[in-house]
Amino acid sequence: MIALPDPWLGPTEWQAVRLSMRVAFWATLLSLPFGVLTAYALARWRFPGRQVLNGLVHLPLILPPVVTGYLLLIAFGRRGPVGQVLESWFGIVLSFRWTGAALAAAVMSFPLMVRAIRLSIEAVDPRLEAAAATLGARPIWVFLTVTLPLALPGIVAGAILAFAKAVGEFGATITFVSNIPGQTQTIPSAIHALLQVPGGEDAAGRLVVIAVLIAMAALALSEFLGRRVARRVAGA
Amino acid sequence: MTLSVRLRHALPGFDLDIDFQVPPGLTVLFGPSGAGKTTVMNAVAGLLRPDEGRVALGDQVLTDTRTGLHLPPHRRRLGHVFQEGRLFPHLSVRRNLLYGRRFAPRGAKGPDLEQIVAMLGIGHLLERRPGALSGGERSRVALGRALLAGPRLILADEPLAALDEARKAEILPFFERLRDEGSIPILYVTHSVAEMRRLATTVVAIEGGRVTRTGPPPPADEAQDFEALWQALGPALAERLRDAPDGRLRLPLAGRQVTIGLDPPADRGMAQDPRLR
């Protein structure tokens, strides 16, 4: 046997990569509408409890991830109040499934997503929205035809940022859905598991490289798309 | 169709308290900056809910604070032409122009695109984005966009204030034409005597939140002299008027002896509406 590290990923490592992508993809896609709505509400509406909502959204950023994961387990576990309803009404089980990993990733990346989108909505000139209203557009149309397209660069950036964060989520995920290879073992949990066993360093190193590449690709894509969309929106 | 406006609204520094009518034709809401003109426009457009008052177009009530009625802007069908144009930067000129079209009620008969494009001479701009337009082009598109929404009234809020003299001369004829067609009443805000004199069929002068004069525009020479005099010497004259024992100043102007008085009377202590006599 030659002592050179094997450059190729083994089947369980590939599984972890694929699972991470799937988890991050669905986490981002499904939280995006809520992210836009929350960001819009925080940016444009003045309502009682606005600060409470703002705090709630930011909570996963401040809480220890393990605590967030544990709270998810309490609420969305099979015996938790929400988990019970989901299972008996819709047959959806989240705990110890990849879907639960997606929920944990979504919750953890939500603050980053909302923050980016909120900033871009706040940057949309309300006078343009007023102009649309005087032309006969109902508020929902003003939102869809003026606010949303003008905020698009920030929405794209927020979604990609959330995706990158979702790929890397560890603490809440491992607490909520554990670390089952092929089920809930994402890249970070696989790295963690590999480092626990002797001789796992090579495989862990390969996953680390993958994680770095994904993060950098997300960043580059976000820059690229953001600039493209911004150019289109600025309309020169 | 006549627009009637009665408003009372607290503004920083003073209270707006006005009552006027906009008959068919072009009514110029005339007054210095900070007189409350834009507030009036926003209240008519439904963008601002006044503390107290009633706005009605013909027999349709748009706002009545006594009954709590306040029609939102998108249900008023008033064409608002803003000073800065406010074109949508992410849409082509064509899509800006047609923006209001899809929201107009089916029965509403507005002008069609070709007609407006021809009148405003913007055919070559249709596929461009607003970012690539000059100030004058932007103003024309903004006017066209408001007209194409099929409005029942045009609200023009200092539509020329951001333009230089050459561009102003380019846009003014379009407002004259709209006025002379007479199909929609126009409420036009300006602090320029030249625009007021050229466009107005009715003048509503406001200052400090009060209507100081309504009626036809003043005769040409008087207005011209007044403009020159007021723009050059306004603040100084106001000062001297306050100090004048009988509230009158007699000055030689353009080869004539001109008397300037205060209206309302001098005991209010402020030159509300210095007027030539």
Side-chain angles (χ1 to χ4, degrees), chain A residues 8-222:
Chain A
W8 303 109
L9 297 177
T12 44
E13 294 146 46
W14 264 120
Q15 229 166 23
V17 172
R18 276 201 305 272
L19 188 72
S20 266
M21 301 308 278
R22 193 192 327 165
V23 163
F25 175 77
W26 286 107
T28 308
L29 194 72
L30 293 183
S31 60
L32 193 56
F34 297 101
V36 172
L37 188 71
T38 309
Y40 186 80
L42 289 174
R44 285 282 192 263
W45 296 339
R46 294 288 168 268
F47 55 95
R50 185 168 155 271
Q51 284 312 320
V52 176
L53 177 65
N54 192 28
L56 220 56
V57 166
H58 282 90
L59 212 53
L61 208 59
I62 300 144
L63 281 179
V66 176
V67 172
T68 305
Y70 181 63
L71 292 174
L72 285 174
L73 193 59
I74 291 176
F76 290 90
R78 296 184 89 150
R79 281 195 234 136
V82 188
Q84 265 180 1
V85 171
L86 283 177
E87 184 171 2
S88 57
W89 290 14
F90 306 103
I92 299 172
V93 178
L94 292 172
S95 56
F96 306 110
R97 304 279 172 91
W98 77 268
T99 45
L103 176 66
V107 168
M108 292 302 291
S109 55
F110 201 63
L112 293 174
M113 178 188 273
V114 168
R115 180 169 280 268
I117 297 174
R118 178 184 173 175
L119 286 175
S120 69
I121 288 177
E122 278 171 348
V124 173
D125 189 347
R127 294 177 309 173
L128 291 177
E129 296 169 326
T134 66
L135 289 163
R138 284 189 298 143
I140 179 71
W141 279 110
V142 174
F143 176 72
L144 291 175
T145 59
V146 177
T147 318
L148 205 56
L150 287 174
L152 203 56
I155 295 173
V156 169
I160 292 175
L161 203 61
F163 180 87
K165 167 75 184 166
V167 171
E169 216 300 304
F170 175 69
T173 308
I174 204 161
T175 313
F176 183 32
V177 295
S178 185
N179 190 352
I180 311 160
Q183 282 285 320
T184 62
Q185 190 173 72
T186 58
I187 295 177
S189 359
I191 295 173
H192 176 72
L194 285 167
L195 292 177
Q196 305 298 307
V197 293
E201 288 87 355
D202 287 353
R206 291 192 291 271
L207 283 176
V208 165
V209 171
I210 299 259
V212 170
L213 287 179
I214 290 174
M216 283 170 58
L219 205 61
L221 186 69
S222 137

Side-chain angles (χ1 to χ4, degrees), chain B residues 154-169:
Chain B
I154 289 281
L155 296 169
D157 191 357
E158 309 215 21
L160 309 185
L163 303 178
D164 58 37
E165 288 308 318
R167 296 286 91 71
K168 278 181 193 169

Side-chain angles (χ1 to χ4, degrees), chain B residues 98-117:
Chain B
L98 291 174
Y99 186 87
R101 180 48 71 87
R102 63 175 123 172
F103 306 115
R106 271 173 222 301
K109 217 173 79 65
D112 56 43
L113 183 65
E114 288 78 46
Q115 224 177 318
I116 292 294
V117 165

Side-chain angles (χ1 to χ4, degrees), chain B residues 7-238:
Chain B
L7 296 171
R8 204 191 289 267
H9 193 77
L11 291 171
F14 66 99
D15 285 342
L16 187 69
D17 186 356
I18 53 156
D19 190 345
F20 67 94
Q21 310 271 320
V22 179
L26 193 151
T27 301
V28 165
L29 191 58
F30 178 78
S33 311
K37 304 189 296 294
T38 294
T39 306
V40 173
M41 294 298 256
N42 286 339
V44 173
L47 296 171
L48 175 137
R49 194 189 278 263
D51 295 342
E52 209 188 315
R54 187 174 183 279
V55 178
L57 181 61
D59 48 16
Q60 189 194 16
V61 179
L62 303 177
T63 291
D64 190 344
T65 50
R66 246 184 328 193
T67 59
L69 178 83
H70 183 77
L71 216 56
H74 66 276
R75 290 180 53 201
R76 298 196 173 204
R77 296 189 46 226
L78 310 176
H80 210 139
V81 185
F82 298 94
Q83 185 184 137
E84 340 78 79
R86 300 198 194 180
L87 300 179
F88 305 124
H90 57 301
L91 301 179
S92 66
V93 166
R94 179 193 300 278
R95 292 183 61 194
N96 263 286
L97 287 169
L98 291 174
Y99 186 87
R101 180 48 71 87
R102 63 175 123 172
F103 306 115
R106 271 173 222 301
K109 217 173 79 65
D112 56 43
L113 183 65
E114 288 78 46
Q115 224 177 318
I116 292 294
V117 165
M119 176 184 122
L120 296 170
I122 50 179
H124 58 296
L125 306 174
L126 286 179
E127 304 314 321
R128 288 202 208 158
R129 292 290 185 80
L133 302 183
S134 71
E137 291 168 341
R138 231 171 280 162
S139 295
R140 279 185 281 165
V141 175
L143 176 58
R145 184 179 68 172
L147 290 173
L148 279 163
R152 303 179 292 172
L153 176 92
I154 289 281
L155 296 169
D157 191 357
E158 309 215 21
L160 309 185
L163 303 178
D164 58 37
E165 288 308 318
R167 296 286 91 71
K168 278 181 193 169
E170 178 190 315
I171 308 296
L172 271 168
F174 298 122
F175 280 101
E176 283 180 317
R177 198 162 150 184
L178 276 177
R179 174 196 65 195
D180 297 340
E181 279 175 6
S183 49
I184 348 173
I186 303 165
L187 179 58
Y188 186 107
V189 159
T190 185
H191 60 260
S192 150
V193 177
E195 283 172 45
M196 179 263 279
R197 225 172 49 64
R198 183 151 165 198
L199 294 174
T201 52
T202 309
V203 175
V204 176
I206 70 171
E207 193 168 343
R210 301 283 191 283
V211 174
T212 51
R213 168 176 173 175
T214 44
D221 59 333
E222 180 191 315
Q224 255 167 352
D225 290 350
F226 181 79
E227 175 185 23
L229 187 68
W230 190 251
Q231 279 186 355
L233 304 166
L237 282 178

